[in-house]
Amino acid sequence: MQISLNNTVYPGLSAMQVGQDRVDQAATQLASPATEVAGRSQSSDFQLERLRSVDRPQRSDMATNVVELTQGRIQVQAGARVEKASDEMLGTLIDTFA
C-alpha cells in the first residue's frame, strides 16, 4: 500500500495558509490609517463626504476586518485539526501495516 503525503498533509496546510493570509490582510487593513472608524461624528459634513465617496473605492470598515480576523483564526484552527486527524490516521495505518 502506498500513501501519498500530498493527499494527507496538503488539505490541512492549505486551509491554514488561506486562514493566515486572511488574518494578515485583515490586520493590515485594520492598521491602515484609511480604515473608517465607526465612532466618528455624524455631522452633515461627514455625511456629505460619505455620499461623495460612493464613486470611490470602498474603504473597509472596522467591523468587517474584525470578522475577517475571527474567520481567519477559525480557518487556521480547522486546518490544524485536519492535520492532527491526518497525522493520527497515518500513524494508525502505519501501525496496522507494520
Side-chain angles (χ1 to χ4, degrees):
M1 179 176 163
Q2 208 172 34
I3 300 172
S4 171
L5 288 180
N6 282 342
N7 293 338
T8 59
V9 176
Y10 183 73
L13 290 178
S14 177
M16 291 170 67
Q17 182 63 46
V18 170
Q20 183 62 46
D21 290 344
R22 178 179 275 181
V23 167
D24 289 344
Q25 183 178 12
T28 300
Q29 289 179 358
L30 275 172
S32 160
T35 301
E36 181 180 328
V37 178
R40 286 188 180 166
S41 168
Q42 293 294 320
S43 68
S44 60
D45 292 337
F46 180 69
Q47 291 174 354
L48 182 61
E49 179 62 30
R50 288 191 70 171
L51 289 173
R52 288 180 183 156
S53 69
V54 170
D55 293 334
R56 295 183 211 151
Q58 293 295 320
R59 294 184 292 180
S60 59
D61 60 44
M62 194 172 291
T64 301
N65 289 322
V66 171
V67 169
E68 285 291 319
L69 280 171
T70 303
Q71 288 177 337
R73 178 181 55 88
I74 292 169
Q75 193 166 7
V76 169
Q77 289 174 339
R81 288 181 182 150
V82 168
E83 283 301 306
K84 183 177 179 183
S86 175
D87 181 51
E88 290 172 358
M89 182 180 282
L90 184 60
T92 302
L93 284 173
I94 290 172
D95 290 344
T96 301
F97 288 101

